[in-house]
Amino acid sequence: MKFLQLTLFLMFAQAVYAEDGSRLWLRYQENSSRAEVICKHKITPTIAVAKQELESNWKGRKIYLQILSSKKTSPHPDDSFSIISKANEIVISSISEVGLLYGAYHLLRLQETAQLTDNVNISETPKYNLRILNHWDNLDGTVERGYAGGSLWQWNELPENLSPRYRQYARANASIGINGTVVNNVNASPNILTTHYLQKVKALADVFRPYGIKIYISVNFSSPAIIGGLPTSDPLNSETIAWWHSKVAEIYTIIPDFGGFLVKANSEGQPGPQDFGRTHADGANMLAAALKKHGGIVMWRAFVYNPTAGDRAKQAFDEFTPLDGLFADNVIVQVKNGPIDFQPREPFNPLFGGLKKTLIMPELQITQEYLGQSKHLVFLAPMWQDFFESDTYCNGQGSLIKTITTNQKINAIAGVANIGEDANWCGSHFAQANWYAFGRMAWNPNLTAEQIADEWLAQTFIPDKNFTSPATDIMLQSWEACINYMMPLGLHHLFAWEHHYGPQPWCDIPDAREDWLPKYYHRADSAGLGFDRTTSGSNAVAQYHSPLREQFDDIKTCPEKYALWFHHLKWNDTLYTESAQKSSCYFENGSESAPQNFTLWEALCYHYNYGVAQVRQMQKTWQQCGQMIDTERFVRVQSGLKTQARDAMWWRDACLLYFQTFSKQQIPFNMEQPVYELEDLKKINLGNGSLN
Ligand code: BDP
């Protein structure tokens, strides 16, 4: 009997304390009795969610939920809310139901992060109206660039069976203000538009609706020919036009509040209007016309490049700026943050500030395709903060990306999701922070990475400064660390072929597209390293407004972090003192004092080594603060950091040893020396992902 009791106790304890990450940042301790929440408005499904969340989880005074009447005729739901405390009560008010829901989650966030004060007087309005996740999920259940297991969508079981995770997903998104989701891959199967699949999409839309989340789909531009049996998909052909109009009408009968289409066209082999001699504007406007009367939009991606058109970094700008002003008013051009492709660090894409008469929305990548995937702890909010705060100078100084993209008729932002079937949703515990950060920054790009890290840690682990403050340090330096050990000083795309996880700067695949090979980007030779994009090179600098173009053009004023992005430098060129100054902490522990300046080669050696040192420091800090949390997650993160530390050394050695074959110089004696042989590293087959 005793044994049975003990077993039952242990089972119970495990059930209660299983810390598999499935609860994300929503770890409220449920109330033993319901909190008092009063709402005089009709209890709609959305209000019911708000009410229930507060009743179960709110620990304070009586709450009133209040819908305000409004004369506004905004085309987009106004998600604003206010929270005001009075003596014995708190009033959450909004003109919309979903505003109340956001208010409820906001209040709970303050409670969970111990930020509640007696007097609350908050008023919040999101800066982007459309805050959208892009799932690169295929209809066969795989996820392109997904590192958290298969797709969350069980297409085979839909529409009949609804996984409980659909609702949990919607709840998590609503709690951080995400209000749209594109459920399928931009490399879109035309089948998504068949009635069969639209019924499945409808089932998801029905689950998401109470949480204020609209559904969108990615469409294949050749759908009229592929599934419609038409002879062409030419956007100016009347049959094509009629096909899209009737398809869109069908979608709206099935899903009345459908959001619209996301389109990847004439990019990486996807079909598009150029196949018929038409422009991106012709293609986008044709779809937009079909969606217009239903209130739908087209998000048309600007991720275009082809091997014959010169410097890849220039191509989207070259293709899209001549079309500026020609897009319909329900088309929004979706632009990746950088001009190449979600690299560890890129300067901002010059289409921001380049397109002035076209609606434009940023596309960020949450899934860390090029930042260690779900294996490396890399917090992306510092990167996004940097991006939002970049000054484009398009209307003079102060034309920050976060300002120009939130002052349009439609303000939207997309993030490529890192969500999958894994119990912890994102493949690792800290990867959840990037989903969280995307939502928070889409709501308010003025939030700092530090604030977001801190509140995420408090909710996801414990609201104790002894834990959150060192853990925030880890998060805040993780992006810089990753850049250092992967590709510092503006280097980019040194990744292993197709896999995009490990290093392969030497990669040479016969007959491969030149612009898919690392050599195209690093241009290492016996003279030096880097891509010359100055006025005497590809002249990509000219795509930026003054004074940026002059600044980038001149190595003396170009920020060191972009040195090799814009310049081909000689191995012995003296880099300004930026790295050298920063390096003092690295050298402090060694016998040598910090140098005054570096040559390019020395700076490279330093950055790679410093990146490794940063990860080693992250390990130590975690060892110290991680023990304050549950063992399960502590150990998992600890083990992830080990992998990251080994991978960092792998990256460092692969890149330095390879570049050394050109520089012909020794790695300075006062820095760490390689532990691997280049020839061995060249043999690694990345099928299995990492060095482990
Ligand atoms: C690249 C990915 C590729 C995507 C493409 C895109 O490697 O899988 O299809 O971006 O954004 O980063 O379309």
Side-chain angles (χ1 to χ4, degrees), residues 461-474:
F461 296 100
I462 39 169
D464 178 337
K465 281 281 163 220
N466 293 321
F467 169 74
T468 56
S469 126
T472 298
D473 286 347
I474 296 180

mmCIF file with all atom_site columns, all heavy atoms in Angstrom, residues 461-474:
data_model
loop_
_atom_site.group_PDB
_atom_site.id
_atom_site.type_symbol
_atom_site.label_atom_id
_atom_site.label_alt_id
_atom_site.label_comp_id
_atom_site.label_asym_id
_atom_site.label_entity_id
_atom_site.label_seq_id
_atom_site.pdbx_PDB_ins_code
_atom_site.Cartn_x
_atom_site.Cartn_y
_atom_site.Cartn_z
_atom_site.occupancy
_atom_site.B_iso_or_equiv
_atom_site.pdbx_formal_charge
_atom_site.auth_seq_id
_atom_site.auth_comp_id
_atom_site.auth_asym_id
_atom_site.auth_atom_id
_atom_site.pdbx_PDB_model_num
ATOM 1   N N   . PHE A 1 461 ? 9.965  31.534 -16.751 1.00 0.00 ? 461 PHE A N   1
ATOM 2   C CA  . PHE A 1 461 ? 10.689 30.845 -15.679 1.00 0.00 ? 461 PHE A CA  1
ATOM 3   C C   . PHE A 1 461 ? 10.229 31.399 -14.330 1.00 0.00 ? 461 PHE A C   1
ATOM 4   O O   . PHE A 1 461 ? 9.172  31.002 -13.855 1.00 0.00 ? 461 PHE A O   1
ATOM 5   C CB  . PHE A 1 461 ? 12.200 30.962 -15.885 1.00 0.00 ? 461 PHE A CB  1
ATOM 6   C CG  . PHE A 1 461 ? 12.675 30.283 -17.153 1.00 0.00 ? 461 PHE A CG  1
ATOM 7   C CD1 . PHE A 1 461 ? 12.938 31.012 -18.312 1.00 0.00 ? 461 PHE A CD1 1
ATOM 8   C CD2 . PHE A 1 461 ? 12.831 28.904 -17.206 1.00 0.00 ? 461 PHE A CD2 1
ATOM 9   C CE1 . PHE A 1 461 ? 13.359 30.379 -19.480 1.00 0.00 ? 461 PHE A CE1 1
ATOM 10  C CE2 . PHE A 1 461 ? 13.250 28.262 -18.372 1.00 0.00 ? 461 PHE A CE2 1
ATOM 11  C CZ  . PHE A 1 461 ? 13.510 29.012 -19.509 1.00 0.00 ? 461 PHE A CZ  1
ATOM 12  N N   . ILE A 1 462 ? 10.974 32.330 -13.774 1.00 0.00 ? 462 ILE A N   1
ATOM 13  C CA  . ILE A 1 462 ? 10.542 32.885 -12.483 1.00 0.00 ? 462 ILE A CA  1
ATOM 14  C C   . ILE A 1 462 ? 10.772 34.400 -12.449 1.00 0.00 ? 462 ILE A C   1
ATOM 15  O O   . ILE A 1 462 ? 11.775 34.887 -12.980 1.00 0.00 ? 462 ILE A O   1
ATOM 16  C CB  . ILE A 1 462 ? 11.317 32.253 -11.286 1.00 0.00 ? 462 ILE A CB  1
ATOM 17  C CG1 . ILE A 1 462 ? 12.787 32.045 -11.658 1.00 0.00 ? 462 ILE A CG1 1
ATOM 18  C CG2 . ILE A 1 462 ? 10.670 30.963 -10.822 1.00 0.00 ? 462 ILE A CG2 1
ATOM 19  C CD1 . ILE A 1 462 ? 13.665 31.682 -10.479 1.00 0.00 ? 462 ILE A CD1 1
ATOM 20  N N   . PRO A 1 463 ? 9.853  35.126 -11.807 1.00 0.00 ? 463 PRO A N   1
ATOM 21  C CA  . PRO A 1 463 ? 10.013 36.586 -11.766 1.00 0.00 ? 463 PRO A CA  1
ATOM 22  C C   . PRO A 1 463 ? 10.955 37.012 -10.642 1.00 0.00 ? 463 PRO A C   1
ATOM 23  O O   . PRO A 1 463 ? 10.583 37.749 -9.752  1.00 0.00 ? 463 PRO A O   1
ATOM 24  C CB  . PRO A 1 463 ? 8.585  37.093 -11.530 1.00 0.00 ? 463 PRO A CB  1
ATOM 25  C CG  . PRO A 1 463 ? 7.911  35.974 -10.816 1.00 0.00 ? 463 PRO A CG  1
ATOM 26  C CD  . PRO A 1 463 ? 8.588  34.690 -11.208 1.00 0.00 ? 463 PRO A CD  1
ATOM 27  N N   . ASP A 1 464 ? 12.175 36.535 -10.694 1.00 0.00 ? 464 ASP A N   1
ATOM 28  C CA  . ASP A 1 464 ? 13.131 36.835 -9.635  1.00 0.00 ? 464 ASP A CA  1
ATOM 29  C C   . ASP A 1 464 ? 14.363 37.438 -10.308 1.00 0.00 ? 464 ASP A C   1
ATOM 30  O O   . ASP A 1 464 ? 14.986 36.805 -11.173 1.00 0.00 ? 464 ASP A O   1
ATOM 31  C CB  . ASP A 1 464 ? 13.481 35.507 -8.930  1.00 0.00 ? 464 ASP A CB  1
ATOM 32  C CG  . ASP A 1 464 ? 14.510 35.695 -7.833  1.00 0.00 ? 464 ASP A CG  1
ATOM 33  O OD1 . ASP A 1 464 ? 15.261 36.698 -7.882  1.00 0.00 ? 464 ASP A OD1 1
ATOM 34  O OD2 . ASP A 1 464 ? 14.587 34.831 -6.956  1.00 0.00 ? 464 ASP A OD2 1
ATOM 35  N N   . LYS A 1 465 ? 14.703 38.633 -9.917  1.00 0.00 ? 465 LYS A N   1
ATOM 36  C CA  . LYS A 1 465 ? 15.814 39.358 -10.546 1.00 0.00 ? 465 LYS A CA  1
ATOM 37  C C   . LYS A 1 465 ? 17.122 38.578 -10.508 1.00 0.00 ? 465 LYS A C   1
ATOM 38  O O   . LYS A 1 465 ? 17.953 38.704 -11.414 1.00 0.00 ? 465 LYS A O   1
ATOM 39  C CB  . LYS A 1 465 ? 16.037 40.710 -9.843  1.00 0.00 ? 465 LYS A CB  1
ATOM 40  C CG  . LYS A 1 465 ? 15.061 41.775 -10.259 1.00 0.00 ? 465 LYS A CG  1
ATOM 41  C CD  . LYS A 1 465 ? 15.460 42.386 -11.615 1.00 0.00 ? 465 LYS A CD  1
ATOM 42  C CE  . LYS A 1 465 ? 14.290 43.144 -12.246 1.00 0.00 ? 465 LYS A CE  1
ATOM 43  N NZ  . LYS A 1 465 ? 14.162 42.981 -13.685 1.00 0.00 ? 465 LYS A NZ  1
ATOM 44  N N   . ASN A 1 466 ? 17.299 37.770 -9.441  1.00 0.00 ? 466 ASN A N   1
ATOM 45  C CA  . ASN A 1 466 ? 18.544 36.999 -9.360  1.00 0.00 ? 466 ASN A CA  1
ATOM 46  C C   . ASN A 1 466 ? 18.666 36.026 -10.525 1.00 0.00 ? 466 ASN A C   1
ATOM 47  O O   . ASN A 1 466 ? 19.749 35.617 -10.904 1.00 0.00 ? 466 ASN A O   1
ATOM 48  C CB  . ASN A 1 466 ? 18.614 36.210 -8.051  1.00 0.00 ? 466 ASN A CB  1
ATOM 49  C CG  . ASN A 1 466 ? 18.727 37.149 -6.890  1.00 0.00 ? 466 ASN A CG  1
ATOM 50  O OD1 . ASN A 1 466 ? 19.428 38.155 -6.982  1.00 0.00 ? 466 ASN A OD1 1
ATOM 51  N ND2 . ASN A 1 466 ? 17.997 36.850 -5.820  1.00 0.00 ? 466 ASN A ND2 1
ATOM 52  N N   . PHE A 1 467 ? 17.497 35.664 -11.054 1.00 0.00 ? 467 PHE A N   1
ATOM 53  C CA  . PHE A 1 467 ? 17.516 34.819 -12.241 1.00 0.00 ? 467 PHE A CA  1
ATOM 54  C C   . PHE A 1 467 ? 17.428 35.665 -13.511 1.00 0.00 ? 467 PHE A C   1
ATOM 55  O O   . PHE A 1 467 ? 18.237 35.521 -14.427 1.00 0.00 ? 467 PHE A O   1
ATOM 56  C CB  . PHE A 1 467 ? 16.356 33.811 -12.206 1.00 0.00 ? 467 PHE A CB  1
ATOM 57  C CG  . PHE A 1 467 ? 16.174 33.111 -13.519 1.00 0.00 ? 467 PHE A CG  1
ATOM 58  C CD1 . PHE A 1 467 ? 17.071 32.130 -13.933 1.00 0.00 ? 467 PHE A CD1 1
ATOM 59  C CD2 . PHE A 1 467 ? 15.123 33.458 -14.368 1.00 0.00 ? 467 PHE A CD2 1
ATOM 60  C CE1 . PHE A 1 467 ? 16.926 31.505 -15.174 1.00 0.00 ? 467 PHE A CE1 1
ATOM 61  C CE2 . PHE A 1 467 ? 14.978 32.838 -15.606 1.00 0.00 ? 467 PHE A CE2 1
ATOM 62  C CZ  . PHE A 1 467 ? 15.877 31.853 -16.005 1.00 0.00 ? 467 PHE A CZ  1
ATOM 63  N N   . THR A 1 468 ? 16.430 36.550 -13.567 1.00 0.00 ? 468 THR A N   1
ATOM 64  C CA  . THR A 1 468 ? 16.179 37.238 -14.843 1.00 0.00 ? 468 THR A CA  1
ATOM 65  C C   . THR A 1 468 ? 17.335 38.153 -15.254 1.00 0.00 ? 468 THR A C   1
ATOM 66  O O   . THR A 1 468 ? 17.602 38.287 -16.441 1.00 0.00 ? 468 THR A O   1
ATOM 67  C CB  . THR A 1 468 ? 14.873 38.061 -14.804 1.00 0.00 ? 468 THR A CB  1
ATOM 68  O OG1 . THR A 1 468 ? 14.939 38.979 -13.715 1.00 0.00 ? 468 THR A OG1 1
ATOM 69  C CG2 . THR A 1 468 ? 13.655 37.181 -14.671 1.00 0.00 ? 468 THR A CG2 1
ATOM 70  N N   . SER A 1 469 ? 18.025 38.723 -14.287 1.00 0.00 ? 469 SER A N   1
ATOM 71  C CA  . SER A 1 469 ? 19.035 39.671 -14.743 1.00 0.00 ? 469 SER A CA  1
ATOM 72  C C   . SER A 1 469 ? 20.255 38.981 -15.377 1.00 0.00 ? 469 SER A C   1
ATOM 73  O O   . SER A 1 469 ? 20.626 39.344 -16.495 1.00 0.00 ? 469 SER A O   1
ATOM 74  C CB  . SER A 1 469 ? 19.265 40.683 -13.635 1.00 0.00 ? 469 SER A CB  1
ATOM 75  O OG  . SER A 1 469 ? 20.530 40.788 -13.277 1.00 0.00 ? 469 SER A OG  1
ATOM 76  N N   . PRO A 1 470 ? 20.852 37.938 -14.784 1.00 0.00 ? 470 PRO A N   1
ATOM 77  C CA  . PRO A 1 470 ? 21.913 37.258 -15.543 1.00 0.00 ? 470 PRO A CA  1
ATOM 78  C C   . PRO A 1 470 ? 21.396 36.560 -16.807 1.00 0.00 ? 470 PRO A C   1
ATOM 79  O O   . PRO A 1 470 ? 22.077 36.549 -17.841 1.00 0.00 ? 470 PRO A O   1
ATOM 80  C CB  . PRO A 1 470 ? 22.477 36.230 -14.555 1.00 0.00 ? 470 PRO A CB  1
ATOM 81  C CG  . PRO A 1 470 ? 21.537 36.174 -13.404 1.00 0.00 ? 470 PRO A CG  1
ATOM 82  C CD  . PRO A 1 470 ? 20.734 37.430 -13.405 1.00 0.00 ? 470 PRO A CD  1
ATOM 83  N N   . ALA A 1 471 ? 20.172 36.018 -16.736 1.00 0.00 ? 471 ALA A N   1
ATOM 84  C CA  . ALA A 1 471 ? 19.647 35.341 -17.934 1.00 0.00 ? 471 ALA A CA  1
ATOM 85  C C   . ALA A 1 471 ? 19.400 36.353 -19.059 1.00 0.00 ? 471 ALA A C   1
ATOM 86  O O   . ALA A 1 471 ? 19.580 36.048 -20.242 1.00 0.00 ? 471 ALA A O   1
ATOM 87  C CB  . ALA A 1 471 ? 18.373 34.570 -17.594 1.00 0.00 ? 471 ALA A CB  1
ATOM 88  N N   . THR A 1 472 ? 19.009 37.568 -18.686 1.00 0.00 ? 472 THR A N   1
ATOM 89  C CA  . THR A 1 472 ? 18.863 38.616 -19.703 1.00 0.00 ? 472 THR A CA  1
ATOM 90  C C   . THR A 1 472 ? 20.214 38.922 -20.341 1.00 0.00 ? 472 THR A C   1
ATOM 91  O O   . THR A 1 472 ? 20.319 39.094 -21.559 1.00 0.00 ? 472 THR A O   1
ATOM 92  C CB  . THR A 1 472 ? 18.260 39.910 -19.080 1.00 0.00 ? 472 THR A CB  1
ATOM 93  O OG1 . THR A 1 472 ? 16.964 39.593 -18.578 1.00 0.00 ? 472 THR A OG1 1
ATOM 94  C CG2 . THR A 1 472 ? 18.133 41.021 -20.080 1.00 0.00 ? 472 THR A CG2 1
ATOM 95  N N   . ASP A 1 473 ? 21.261 38.933 -19.536 1.00 0.00 ? 473 ASP A N   1
ATOM 96  C CA  . ASP A 1 473 ? 22.610 39.159 -20.100 1.00 0.00 ? 473 ASP A CA  1
ATOM 97  C C   . ASP A 1 473 ? 22.925 38.117 -21.161 1.00 0.00 ? 473 ASP A C   1
ATOM 98  O O   . ASP A 1 473 ? 23.457 38.427 -22.224 1.00 0.00 ? 473 ASP A O   1
ATOM 99  C CB  . ASP A 1 473 ? 23.690 39.042 -19.014 1.00 0.00 ? 473 ASP A CB  1
ATOM 100 C CG  . ASP A 1 473 ? 23.693 40.250 -18.094 1.00 0.00 ? 473 ASP A CG  1
ATOM 101 O OD1 . ASP A 1 473 ? 23.044 41.256 -18.443 1.00 0.00 ? 473 ASP A OD1 1
ATOM 102 O OD2 . ASP A 1 473 ? 24.335 40.163 -17.029 1.00 0.00 ? 473 ASP A OD2 1
ATOM 103 N N   . ILE A 1 474 ? 22.617 36.872 -20.846 1.00 0.00 ? 474 ILE A N   1
ATOM 104 C CA  . ILE A 1 474 ? 22.873 35.805 -21.828 1.00 0.00 ? 474 ILE A CA  1
ATOM 105 C C   . ILE A 1 474 ? 22.136 36.123 -23.119 1.00 0.00 ? 474 ILE A C   1
ATOM 106 O O   . ILE A 1 474 ? 22.700 36.098 -24.214 1.00 0.00 ? 474 ILE A O   1
ATOM 107 C CB  . ILE A 1 474 ? 22.381 34.428 -21.302 1.00 0.00 ? 474 ILE A CB  1
ATOM 108 C CG1 . ILE A 1 474 ? 23.172 34.010 -20.076 1.00 0.00 ? 474 ILE A CG1 1
ATOM 109 C CG2 . ILE A 1 474 ? 22.442 33.370 -22.399 1.00 0.00 ? 474 ILE A CG2 1
ATOM 110 C CD1 . ILE A 1 474 ? 22.741 32.665 -19.494 1.00 0.00 ? 474 ILE A CD1 1
#
